[in-house]
Amino acid sequence: MPRSSMIRPCLLVLTSPKQCQNLAYTILVELLTYQFASPIQWIEMQDLLFSQYHFEQLIELRPGPTLTGMATRTLKAKYEASDDSISWTRVINCHVKNTKEIYYQFEDEAAAADTDAAADSPATTANTASIPIAAAVVAPAPSSGPVASIADEPLKALDTLRIIIAQKLKKKVEEIPLSKSIKDLIGGKSTLQNEILGDLNLEFVSTPEKGEELPLDELGSSLSTGDSGALGKHTTGLISHLIGGKTPGGFNLSTIKAYLTKTWGLGPSHSNGVLLLGLTVEPPKHLGSEAEAKTWLDAIIAAYARQAGISLLSGATSGGGGGGGGTVINSEEFIKFQVEQHEFTRCQVKLYMHYLDLDPCKGAHTANSEKYNMQALQDKLDAINREHGDAYINGIQPIFKPLKARHFDSSWNWVRQDALIMWYDILYGCISTVDHKITTQCIAIINRADESLSEYMQYYVDHCNPGHGEMYRLGKEFGQQLINNCQEAVRHPLLYKDMTFPTAPCMEVTPAGNIIYMEVVHKNVRKLEAYVEEVAMGGATPHAVNIQKVQDDILKLWNIVKSQPEISQEQKNRIKVLL
C-alpha cells in the first residue's frame, strides 16, 4: 500500500563493519517507524487511478476484496457518469473472488474441473438435485404453435434481493427467510456483508443506511422506492456470466427470451425473473447442446411459476386451423404490445433523466422526508401534551392577530398637535423652564419637522403679542428658537441624540454583610459633555507633599547606608543621586 513516504539520498562514510551493522539497524527502525506512522492515502490513490490512469481492469491481490468494494463504491459515486458519457468500461476484480474472470476460465475443461471440486459440497448437491425435481413438475412440452401471453409484471425488489443473497450464499431462495437480516444470514463475516452491500448499491437506485440490520421484508420495501422493476447492473452482469459460461454457443440471451416468449408466453419481466432464479440453480457443468439448455430452463420455469403464482399456458390453447382473411391480433397480444411500448418509453425517460442529471424520484424522497419530519414534530407535541396537559397548550397559544395591528402613518398631523399643545402650555404658565422632559419633546418635534410645520408654527409666533405678559414673551422667544432648529434639521439628515442622564457606580454594604451594586444618577452632572470633562480632570491630591521633609529623610537614609559594607557601591550611588 503506498504511503506518503520519501527517502532522500545521502552520502555515508563507513569505517568498520560494526558501524555498518549499527547504521543498518538504525535505518531499519526509522523507516519502519515512519512507515507505520504515515497515513494510508487510499482516497488520493483512487482519484489518481480513476482520473489519470484510464485502466480497463483493476485486480486486487489481497486475502479478501476489501479494497475492491471501496473502489467499486468510489467508481459508482464519482466516475461512473463520466465513464458512461464516453462509453468507457472498467472492471474491478479480486483474485480470490474473481479467479475465472481474471484467468478467462470459461472452457468446458475448466467448468468440469470446478464441478469435480465442488461435487462433495452440500449446497451444490442441493442445487443440482433441485433441477430434476422441478423438471418432474413441468407440464409436457407445449406444441410448436404460438402461446397466449401471460400478463407481464415488473420484478419486485424483494424477490431480486432474496436471489442476490441466495446466489452469494450459495443457497436456495426458500432458505432465505424474510424475517432475518443480512447480518444474521452471513454469520459474522464482515467481508461477505460488504460484498452484498456493494452488490445492492450497484443493483438499486438507493439503499438505506444500516440496511444490513433491517429484516429482508423491510429492506425490500425500502429498495422498492424508485425501482423500475428492471434488471440492474449487478444482476445483468451475473446473468451474462451465467449464459456465457454455461449455455452452448448460439444460445444467447435474445434466443433464451425468444424461447420463453414463444413457448411459455412469458413477457420480458417474467423472462428476467426466470433467469434470476436460474442464478441460484446454476448448472454444474457446461451444457453441451441446445436441448439440454432448454431442459434446464423448463425446470426453472416450473419453480418460477410456483413462486410467482402464475399458470403456465400451452400452445394448444391458441387455435389452429386455416381461415381466410387478414392478420388478426387478439386483446392479449395488444396488451402485451402496450406493455412493451410503455417499458420502452420508461427506459427512454430514465435515460433522459440520467443525461440531465435529474432524479425522477426526488418528489417521493422529499415526501418521505417531510413525512418523517411531521411525525417527529407530532411526537414532540404529544410528549408535551402528555407531560403538561391541554391547559398548558391552550395557555401558551398566541393571542396576536394581524387584524389587531394598527399602523400610524400620519406623523405630520401628530407633530402639529404636539407643537400646539406645547405652545399653549407655555402661554398658560405650565412650562416656565426648559428641563429634560421639555428637551425630549422638542427633539421629537424636530425629528418629524418639515417645511409645512415651520410655516404652521411661524404663523402662531408672528401673531403672538409679547406685550400681553411674560408668558407671551417667553413663548414668542422659545417658539422662534424651536422654528430655527426645525429649519436647520430639515436641511440635514436625521441624527440620534442621547438624552439620558450620566450615571455613576454605587456600592452599598448592608448590615447583614451583603454587597449591593447599582447605577445612580451622577451628581451635579446634567450633560454627557460635563461628565467627560469631569472624568478628564481626575481626582484631587488629598494633601500637599512636604518636599523638605522628604529631603531630610533621604539624607538620614544616606548616612545609614554609606557606612554599611554589605551594600554595593552601585546601590549607594543610586541613593546619593536623590540628595
Side-chain angles (χ1 to χ4, degrees), residues 176-413:
I176 307 299
L178 298 179
S179 59
K180 291 187 177 182
S181 63
I182 297 177
K183 183 177 291 187
D184 298 334
L185 293 172
I186 63 174
K189 299 178 182 178
S190 59
T191 303
L192 184 59
Q193 173 181 312
N194 293 335
E195 291 180 8
I196 294 176
L197 294 178
D199 296 340
L200 295 181
N201 288 331
L202 286 175
E203 182 68 20
F204 297 99
V205 176
S206 60
T207 56
E209 295 184 0
K210 301 293 183 181
E212 67 275 8
E213 300 177 359
L214 299 176
L216 294 186
D217 52 357
E218 184 176 347
L219 179 59
S221 300
S222 301
L223 295 177
S224 61
T225 303
D227 185 44
S228 61
L231 294 177
K233 292 186 177 180
H234 177 65
T235 53
T236 302
L238 292 178
I239 292 174
S240 299
H241 180 266
L242 172 64
I243 296 174
K246 298 297 182 179
T247 59
F251 199 70
N252 51 22
L253 180 60
S254 59
T255 305
I256 292 174
K257 289 192 174 183
Y259 169 74
L260 295 176
T261 302
K262 181 179 178 181
T263 307
W264 297 103
L266 299 180
S269 297
H270 283 312
S271 299
N272 291 335
V274 172
L275 294 175
L276 275 179
L277 187 59
L279 295 174
T280 62
V281 288
E282 185 176 344
K285 63 179 181 178
H286 186 81
L287 301 175
S289 63
E290 185 174 336
E292 293 181 5
K294 290 182 179 180
T295 303
W296 173 70
L297 282 176
D298 294 340
I300 299 174
I301 291 172
Y304 176 77
R306 293 195 305 270
Q307 177 182 336
I310 60 176
S311 299
L312 298 177
L313 302 178
S314 173
T317 58
S318 60
T327 303
V328 180
I329 182 171
N330 56 20
S331 59
E332 295 180 353
E333 290 292 336
F334 180 72
I335 294 174
K336 175 186 175 182
F337 176 76
Q338 280 187 328
V339 171
E340 292 177 352
Q341 290 296 319
H342 292 166
E343 181 66 24
F344 176 76
T345 305
R346 281 194 295 269
C347 293
Q348 292 295 322
V349 171
K350 185 177 180 181
L351 179 63
Y352 283 124
M353 297 296 285
H354 180 73
Y355 174 76
L356 297 174
D357 196 15
L358 298 177
D359 185 8
C361 303
K362 182 179 180 180
H365 296 330
T366 304
N368 290 334
S369 61
E370 291 298 329
K371 178 181 178 181
Y372 295 146
N373 294 337
M374 292 176 61
Q375 185 62 38
L377 294 176
Q378 186 62 41
D379 294 340
K380 291 182 180 180
L381 292 177
D382 295 341
I384 295 175
N385 192 18
R386 288 192 299 270
E387 181 69 20
H388 300 283
D390 295 336
Y392 174 77
I393 300 297
N394 297 332
I396 63 173
Q397 295 298 320
I399 60 175
F400 173 78
K401 295 181 180 179
L403 296 178
K404 295 182 179 179
R406 295 294 181 269
H407 302 277
F408 299 95
D409 53 0
S410 56
S411 61
W412 63 271
N413 189 21

Side-chain angles (χ1 to χ4, degrees), residues 354-550:
H354 180 73
Y355 174 76
L356 297 174
D357 196 15
L358 298 177
D359 185 8
C361 303
K362 182 179 180 180
H365 296 330
T366 304
N368 290 334
S369 61
E370 291 298 329
K371 178 181 178 181
Y372 295 146
N373 294 337
M374 292 176 61
Q375 185 62 38
L377 294 176
Q378 186 62 41
D379 294 340
K380 291 182 180 180
L381 292 177
D382 295 341
I384 295 175
N385 192 18
R386 288 192 299 270
E387 181 69 20
H388 300 283
D390 295 336
Y392 174 77
I393 300 297
N394 297 332
I396 63 173
Q397 295 298 320
I399 60 175
F400 173 78
K401 295 181 180 179
L403 296 178
K404 295 182 179 179
R406 295 294 181 269
H407 302 277
F408 299 95
D409 53 0
S410 56
S411 61
W412 63 271
N413 189 21
W414 291 101
V415 68
R416 285 163 172 74
Q417 181 177 344
D418 294 341
L420 195 60
I421 291 175
M422 181 182 293
W423 172 258
Y424 283 109
D425 286 342
I426 296 174
L427 295 184
Y428 286 101
C430 298
I431 297 176
S432 58
T433 58
V434 179
D435 55 5
H436 182 268
K437 180 180 179 181
I438 301 303
T439 304
T440 304
Q441 294 179 1
C442 293
I443 292 176
I445 294 174
I446 293 173
N447 286 336
R448 295 175 290 174
D450 54 10
E451 293 293 342
S452 61
L453 176 64
S454 300
E455 296 176 359
Y456 176 81
M457 292 189 300
Q458 191 68 49
Y459 174 82
Y460 284 94
V461 172
D462 292 344
H463 290 77
C464 178
N465 187 2
H468 291 171
E470 180 65 22
M471 293 295 102
Y472 285 84
R473 185 192 63 78
L474 180 62
K476 188 176 184 65
E477 179 182 354
F478 181 76
Q480 188 62 46
Q481 183 178 357
L482 181 59
I483 293 173
N484 296 335
N485 292 335
C486 291
Q487 292 176 349
E488 182 68 20
V490 170
R491 293 192 294 268
H492 296 85
L494 297 179
L495 298 175
Y496 171 77
K497 187 175 182 180
D498 189 4
M499 298 303 299
T500 57
F501 290 103
T503 59
C506 178
M507 186 175 64
E508 179 182 355
V509 181
T510 62
N514 298 326
I515 298 176
I516 301 175
Y517 173 81
M518 65 187 73
E519 292 283 341
V520 298
V521 178
H522 206 288
K523 296 181 180 179
N524 302 325
V525 178
R526 188 174 65 86
K527 297 182 179 180
L528 292 177
E529 292 83 352
Y531 174 74
V532 173
E533 293 176 359
E534 181 179 346
V535 173
M537 291 174 60
T541 305
H543 56 274
V545 179
N546 191 344
I547 302 300
Q548 185 62 39
K549 185 175 181 305
V550 173

Side-chain angles (χ1 to χ4, degrees), residues 9-257:
C10 59
L11 181 62
L12 301 177
V13 180
L14 305 177
T15 60
S16 64
K18 186 176 181 179
Q19 287 184 351
C20 294
Q21 184 178 1
N22 293 336
L23 182 60
Y25 176 78
T26 303
I27 292 177
L28 177 62
V29 173
E30 292 295 331
L31 289 178
L32 289 177
T33 303
Y34 190 79
Q35 180 75 4
F36 293 151
S38 299
I40 299 177
Q41 298 182 343
W42 174 237
I43 297 177
E44 292 80 358
M45 181 180 179
Q46 288 185 99
D47 294 336
L48 184 64
L49 289 175
F50 284 111
S51 60
Q52 297 187 17
Y53 297 94
H54 299 286
F55 66 89
E56 295 183 358
Q57 187 175 20
L58 177 66
I59 301 175
E60 178 183 2
L61 302 177
R62 282 174 52 88
T66 304
L67 301 181
T68 301
M70 290 189 290
T72 302
R73 288 192 290 271
T74 302
L75 175 63
K76 178 178 177 60
K78 299 174 62 176
Y79 300 99
E80 187 176 31
S82 60
D83 289 348
D84 292 342
S85 64
I86 60 176
S87 300
W88 187 268
T89 304
R90 305 178 193 260
V91 179
I92 301 176
N93 293 325
C94 177
H95 81 287
V96 176
K97 179 183 175 183
N98 310 103
T99 306
K100 294 182 180 181
E101 291 83 351
I102 295 174
Y103 294 103
Y104 301 98
Q105 297 176 350
F106 301 122
E107 292 78 8
D108 296 343
E109 294 79 10
D114 295 340
T115 304
D116 296 338
D120 297 332
S121 174
T124 305
T125 305
N127 290 339
T128 55
S130 63
I131 296 178
I133 295 175
V137 187
V138 178
S143 62
S144 59
V147 180
S149 300
I150 300 175
D152 204 12
E153 296 179 359
L155 294 176
K156 297 180 180 179
L158 180 59
D159 296 337
T160 306
L161 171 64
R162 293 182 68 188
I163 290 175
I164 291 176
I165 297 175
Q167 188 271 339
K168 184 66 69 173
L169 300 180
K170 295 182 174 58
K171 294 182 179 181
K172 298 181 182 179
V173 179
E174 296 80 6
E175 297 176 358
I176 307 299
L178 298 179
S179 59
K180 291 187 177 182
S181 63
I182 297 177
K183 183 177 291 187
D184 298 334
L185 293 172
I186 63 174
K189 299 178 182 178
S190 59
T191 303
L192 184 59
Q193 173 181 312
N194 293 335
E195 291 180 8
I196 294 176
L197 294 178
D199 296 340
L200 295 181
N201 288 331
L202 286 175
E203 182 68 20
F204 297 99
V205 176
S206 60
T207 56
E209 295 184 0
K210 301 293 183 181
E212 67 275 8
E213 300 177 359
L214 299 176
L216 294 186
D217 52 357
E218 184 176 347
L219 179 59
S221 300
S222 301
L223 295 177
S224 61
T225 303
D227 185 44
S228 61
L231 294 177
K233 292 186 177 180
H234 177 65
T235 53
T236 302
L238 292 178
I239 292 174
S240 299
H241 180 266
L242 172 64
I243 296 174
K246 298 297 182 179
T247 59
F251 199 70
N252 51 22
L253 180 60
S254 59
T255 305
I256 292 174
K257 289 192 174 183

